[in-house]
Amino acid sequence: MRLQFNGNVLHLGYCSNVHPSRSVEELVDGLRRYAVAVRHQLGTDLLSVTLWIPAAVAQELDSDASQRRALVTFLRDNGLEVVTLNGFPHSPHGGSRKYGAFRPDWAEPGRLAYTETLARVLTELLPDDAPYGSISTLPLYWRTRRDRRTHDLAASAMARADECMRELEGRTGRVIRIGLEPEPGCVIETVPEGVEFLRAQHYSHIGLCVDTLHMGVQFEVPEESLAAAGAAGVRVVKSQLANGLRAQRPLDSPWLQDFGNGGFLHQTRECRDDGSVHGVDDLPSALAGGLPGDGEWRVHCHYPVNIGQHSLQDYLADCLAALMGPGGPAPLHLEVETYTWRNLPDPLRPGNDSEFVTRIADELSWARDRLSELGATPL
């Protein structure tokens, strides 16, 4: 949906990775089954949807102009719009491939090719009045791959991506910006680390994608992290509004056991009394003794943004206030990203399509209400 904020148009939507697709046909079917119904339930004339388009599907769209035109027509005729893409996972992942979301990384050719393909497709999906489009992407590579060669290859590929976005703007007149998304466990874990990397590179079309859950898991202070971006002149091109798990006394929180399964990596961090942050790659490792449980745990498990119990909802609200408040970066693209609905324990998991639509709509309503409290008005 669109909201007016300080003279600009904000696009608030949700990410289609909650109903992933393996073909253009499945992509459109998911939008028809869920996004259109969500729009009707919210009572809005226009709903923004962040598309996650796997590499194979992106190539299918890029190579077939008729399919692109059909998708544009479908979006227009059904009150949907696309201003941003989720370009983080290259291909479907899950099961034993929990680390699969991080490959190929920016040191591997497949990542640049995928991002360029997404950018070309996005130029045709963008509404005529959108000042820019955005693509979120992984923050270079997973930390265990760090060495000088890997880092240089990744930085070089990012520079080439920046050049490609400039060339694309010259050919099409459409601005596409890439948002580097800091994530726990990657070589760039926090917003300040992302700022430090980007400040040294002087890219014109690459900024940050701020994921509020990633910030929360790392125990970042929202005002400080976002102020660092502003002070360095690093643009925040989009923000993913995501909630996660918080256990203030993890050893007395048996409910954590309900969230250790599924095909996603649940990075877990503990804050000690001295303020230091320690972590493991996955919640089962923490529960098995990988973290002592002496301090609060925060878990990278996407959790409904409108549920406060056992969650980082208050932190998410603080992030929104820092993003949109005085002096904040106020990105124009905001997306609710709870892609775990079908992996959550009962009774949180929706039992049918109707419940699924209602849960997504309830999340967007919560986000819209918080933005209204900060001065945004629906259009």
Side-chain angles (χ1 to χ4, degrees):
M1 65 194 81
R2 293 187 175 198
L3 302 97
Q4 185 81 22
F5 184 78
N6 289 345
N8 295 312
V9 176
L10 301 181
H11 300 264
L12 171 64
Y14 79 97
C15 187
S16 72
N17 58 1
V18 70
H19 45 81
S21 56
R22 296 175 184 268
S23 67
V24 176
E25 182 180 2
E26 283 188 10
L27 177 68
V28 174
D29 182 62
L31 294 173
R32 182 182 293 110
R33 290 175 63 190
Y34 304 114
V36 175
V38 168
R39 182 180 68 78
H40 287 307
Q41 187 149 334
L42 289 169
T44 183
D45 293 332
L46 194 61
L47 178 66
S48 178
V49 182
T50 299
L51 296 185
W52 174 59
I53 310 177
V57 183
Q59 290 167 6
E60 188 179 350
L61 280 169
D62 189 41
S63 63
D64 190 335
S66 64
Q67 293 215 70
R68 296 196 302 276
R69 288 193 296 269
L71 178 55
V72 169
T73 300
F74 175 84
L75 294 168
R76 182 194 61 221
D77 292 349
N78 288 277
L80 305 176
E81 66 176 358
V82 175
V83 296
T84 183
L85 302 178
N86 182 343
F88 198 125
H90 174 276
S91 304
H93 65 286
S96 62
R97 297 185 66 244
K98 289 190 173 189
Y99 293 90
F102 308 99
R103 304 297 291 271
D105 58 33
W106 277 99
E108 299 169 301
R111 176 58 57 174
L112 176 59
Y114 174 47
T115 306
E116 291 177 339
T117 301
L118 289 178
R120 288 192 296 270
V121 171
L122 183 55
T123 60
E124 298 194 35
L125 300 183
L126 274 179
D128 291 340
D129 60 351
Y132 72 94
S134 62
I135 302 171
S136 50
T137 191
L138 76 138
L140 302 187
Y141 50 87
W142 190 254
R143 70 185 187 284
T144 55
R145 280 178 42 77
R146 181 165 196 164
D147 57 40
R148 175 48 57 188
R149 181 176 181 275
T150 298
H151 198 78
D152 288 347
L153 285 171
S156 177
M158 291 291 294
R160 175 56 187 156
D162 189 55
E163 181 182 348
C164 289
M165 297 308 107
R166 292 197 302 271
E167 293 171 353
L168 190 61
E169 181 181 355
R171 291 199 309 273
T172 68
R174 308 314 305 265
V175 178
I176 306 297
R177 293 172 179 157
I178 298 171
L180 204 66
E181 182 185 335
E183 166 146 350
C186 287
V187 69
I188 296 176
E189 290 191 300
T190 66
V191 169
E193 289 173 355
V195 168
E196 181 180 2
F197 172 77
L198 291 171
R199 181 172 52 186
Q201 305 303 320
H202 306 293
Y203 300 133
S204 62
H205 285 59
I206 301 178
L208 285 173
C209 168
V210 169
D211 185 301
T212 61
L213 174 53
H214 297 173
M215 291 177 65
V217 169
Q218 290 294 141
F219 290 85
E220 295 187 55
V221 179
E223 296 84 356
E224 293 178 3
S225 291
L226 295 173
V234 172
R235 180 185 285 116
V236 176
V237 304
K238 66 181 285 188
S239 181
Q240 292 169 325
L241 310 181
N243 194 13
L245 300 178
R246 165 189 274 154
Q248 293 177 309
R249 291 196 295 271
L251 299 183
D252 297 321
S253 302
W255 52 267
L256 281 170
Q257 299 283 346
D258 296 333
F259 294 89
N261 55 9
F264 305 109
L265 201 62
H266 296 320
Q267 301 96 308
T268 304
R269 301 291 183 264
E270 174 176 311
C271 187
R272 307 284 170 79
D273 289 340
D274 62 2
S276 61
V277 177
H278 302 259
V280 293
D281 285 353
D282 210 358
L283 178 58
S285 298
L287 293 170
L291 291 175
D294 296 330
E296 178 180 316
W297 283 8
R298 296 184 179 182
V299 184
H300 179 233
C301 177
H302 285 246
Y303 192 71
V305 301
N306 57 316
I307 297 180
Q309 185 180 30
H310 304 319
S311 85
L312 289 163
Q313 188 190 68
D314 288 347
Y315 182 88
L316 168 55
D318 289 344
C319 283
L320 262 177
L323 280 165
M324 312 308 295
L332 302 185
H333 302 167
L334 303 169
E335 72 189 56
V336 172
E337 196 203 12
T338 309
Y339 56 77
T340 52
W341 273 112
R342 298 196 188 280
N343 297 88
L344 294 174
D346 288 332
L348 293 173
R349 187 186 312 146
N352 52 48
D353 281 1
S354 178
E355 290 183 7
F356 196 21
V357 166
T358 296
R359 304 290 174 86
I360 295 172
D362 286 347
E363 287 195 288
L364 286 169
S365 294
W366 182 91
R368 179 187 57 195
D369 291 347
R370 302 293 79 72
L371 288 165
S372 295
E373 291 169 359
L374 295 169
T377 55
L379 288 173

